[in-house]
Every structure is written in C-alpha cells, then in structure tokens.
Amino acid sequence: MPASDVLRELGHSGIRVPLLTFGGNVFGWTIDEPNSFRVLDALLEQGLNFIDTADVYSTWVPGNKGGESESIIGNWLKQRGNRDRVIIATKVGKTMGGDRQGLSAGYIRRAVEDSLRRLQTDYIDLYQSHDDDRSTPLEETLSAFDALIREGKVRAIGASNYAGERLAQALQVSKDNHLARYETLQPEYNLYDRQHYETTLEPVVKANGLGVIGYYSLASGFLSGKYRSAADAAKSARGQGVVERYLNPRGLAILNALDQVAEAHHTTPSQVALAWLIARPGVTSPIVSATSIEQVAELAGATRLALMPHEIERLTVVSA
C-alpha cells in the first residue's frame, strides 16, 4: 500500500515533498548499486520520491573517495529516465579531502558542478550547507547559492548542523542583501534527542517558516526496539554506541510507551516513532533509511498512521 499522498512544502520554496525523506547515505555503503536501485524503485512505488544525499557520502568507507551515493542515484535516474518524478537534495561543505571543503563561493561553484555531473542532472532541487563554515562570511556563501538559483542549477537552499544563532544570522543576511535564504534546516531530531532542537533551533524555524527534515529519526535504530539490553549491542556494527547512548531508564520508558502505542495500532515501534515526528508542529519530512524493499514498505506505513492526541501527548511527556 503506497504511502500517504499528503505533501508538505519545504519552507516557502514551492517544493512539495512527501511526509518522509529517504536518506541516501546507505547507497554505496551498506548496499551496492543493484540493491540501491531496488530500494529506489520501491521508494518511488510507495510515493516516497524525496531523496537526500551529500557529496561526502561515503568517504568513510575504505576505498571510497566520496560521491558514491550521488553517482548511484545519478545512474538510476539515467537508467529509469525519471528525473522529473524525483526530488533530489544534496549537500556541500564537509571535507572531501585536501582543499575540497567549506562554503567559500569558489568551492561551492566547484562542488555543485561535481554533484550535478555525478547525479547526471542539470538541476538540484534542494542544495544544503552540510556544516556551518565560520571561516567564510555568510554573505559570500549565500551570494554563491543565490547565483546558482538564478542560473537554474538549484531550486532552493537549506542548512544542516547550524547553531540557532548562526541560522538566524544567515536568514538576516539573506534578508538584508536580498539574497536567497535557507528554506530548510536538517537537524538531529527524534523522540529521544529533543532538547537541542526544541530549545535552540525550533524557535528560529517557527519564526521564519522553515521546513525541517531531521536526521537520525529513529535514533540510530534504537527507537525501532532493536536494542533492549546490553547483549543487543552485538546486533550491528553501531550497536555498542547505540546501547551506551540510549539504553537507560529514560530510553527504556520511551520504548515501553512506543510498544504500547504500537500494539494498539497493530503496527511497529518504528512507525509510531516516525508518526510522532510527522505530527510535530514545524516538522516537514523526517529522514529515514532502509536497505531492503521490505524496510521501505514498513517505513511508508508511518505516513498512514494517525496517532490519537492522547498517544502523541503520552510520547511527548515520557520523552521530555
């Protein structure tokens, strides 16, 4: 059954996206190109056509140099001939080795051409600053992005990993200089990790009508219920870190609440955790990832799950 056909606008960009965004960091990392194509096909079948990637994906894999995810997506777009059906977001700024990093005008110009080539397209729907670059004036960065929008190479811009005060400064610079503004923010945000976003970023987001596409929506898998004891750390390569960070009385209380709400709806904790995010005021489209078509189908189910007000309140209170 396809995902909900409800669409939400990314800030004031005019770009409308489904209730979930797919995180493309898995392409070329935990799944190879043939399996990536299967996942991408499944996403489109489910109506989840918003794909988020970055030029730096996946430099951390031995033998990779960055650009692998974009290249796989580009090969898929070319083979399927479906660019007009897909919304592509990518990012610039994190180190790609040597002098290939940051948000200077010269580097943005160089990086966008590399991303366009790998993606095999002539435009990027949402181009995001992957990290703040305090060594480059905000006006320089935003002027470079503004030029790309005027040239038709980028439709809208967004920010990721910005502090609240810097995001507010960037928005003011855009306003004062009549430049394109960041329309979206990509922060870490989930049912467990709430405080930083809600206290320092959410006020800026709401005051300026930004779209929010948060990452780690399932807290690295913890909110799926996969990790419930110290022994579960062995279930994945990242398991030890997940257990150390989240397996505590608060985390277990959140899992207990997720279990009970999931049981009431005959669904999974993952779907409930995502449905809570989707229902949060200001959240546009949480980012999720999958490595199989079965996982894609489960994630899509979250867009059709309507939690009751008292269930949302319970999850909000237990995770406060």
Side-chain angles (χ1 to χ4, degrees), residues 22-295:
F22 190 80
N25 61 332
V26 294
F27 302 141
W29 174 27
T30 52
I31 48 175
D32 59 15
E33 184 162 301
N35 283 310
S36 296
F37 278 25
R38 293 186 188 99
V39 166
L40 285 161
D41 288 340
L43 287 166
L44 219 54
E45 288 170 11
Q46 291 283 355
L48 299 177
N49 67 335
F50 186 24
I51 314 297
D52 176 75
T53 185
D55 56 6
V56 75
Y57 298 162
S58 45
T59 55
W60 56 87
V61 178
N64 284 6
K65 57 185 180 181
E68 288 79 15
S69 174
E70 289 182 333
S71 295
I72 287 173
I73 294 168
N75 290 341
W76 176 73
L77 290 171
K78 182 178 182 181
Q79 190 173 115
R80 300 294 189 264
N82 59 5
R83 177 65 184 93
D84 61 337
R85 296 180 58 201
V86 183
I87 300 166
I88 299 292
T90 192
K91 311 182 201 73
V92 58
K94 283 192 179 291
T95 181
M96 294 277 284
D99 64 346
R100 299 163 63 207
Q101 62 182 312
L103 297 173
S104 69
Y107 181 61
I108 287 173
R109 174 67 62 176
R110 175 181 170 191
V112 76
E113 295 299 339
D114 287 343
S115 287
L116 289 168
R117 175 178 48 78
R118 287 188 292 259
L119 289 164
Q120 301 185 58
T121 183
D122 56 3
Y123 70 97
I124 292 164
D125 296 286
L126 179 66
Y127 200 36
Q128 302 158 97
S129 300
H130 207 159
D131 256 334
D132 190 2
D133 175 8
R134 292 176 181 264
S135 66
T136 301
L138 287 167
E139 186 175 352
E140 177 182 340
T141 296
L142 292 161
S143 294
F145 283 139
D146 186 80
L148 295 179
I149 290 175
R150 284 187 282 104
E151 293 167 19
K153 293 182 177 181
V154 170
R155 293 178 66 195
I157 57 172
S160 180
N161 299 311
Y162 268 56
E165 70 274 9
R166 284 284 287 178
L167 179 61
Q169 287 172 21
L171 293 167
Q172 191 63 47
V173 167
S174 292
K175 183 177 181 180
D176 291 345
N177 294 278
H178 307 289
L179 299 171
R181 70 164 201 164
Y182 288 136
E183 293 292 351
T184 60
L185 175 68
Q186 187 172 142
E188 178 177 6
Y189 189 47
N190 57 62
L191 190 56
Y192 186 103
D193 298 297
R194 294 176 51 191
Q195 185 176 11
H196 175 66
Y197 169 75
E198 291 180 9
T199 58
T200 68
L201 294 166
E202 190 174 49
V204 181
V205 164
K206 287 187 172 180
N208 293 278
L210 304 190
V212 175
I213 48 175
Y215 62 87
Y216 289 162
S217 298
L218 292 175
S220 300
F222 176 74
L223 297 174
S224 72
K226 181 177 180 178
Y227 306 96
R228 295 175 182 270
S229 70
D232 290 336
K235 287 185 174 181
S236 73
R238 64 183 180 182
Q240 189 60 42
V242 173
V243 165
E244 289 175 359
R245 179 171 178 177
Y246 297 111
L247 197 65
N248 52 50
R250 177 169 169 262
L252 290 171
I254 292 171
L255 285 185
N256 182 56
L258 285 172
D259 287 340
Q260 293 185 20
V261 175
E263 185 177 0
H265 288 270
H266 306 289
T267 187
T268 64
S270 293
Q271 290 186 345
V272 174
L274 292 173
W276 178 86
L277 274 176
I278 290 169
R280 291 293 289 171
V283 170
T284 310
S285 180
I287 297 172
V288 294
S289 281
T291 56
S292 69
I293 57 176
E294 292 79 15
Q295 289 175 357

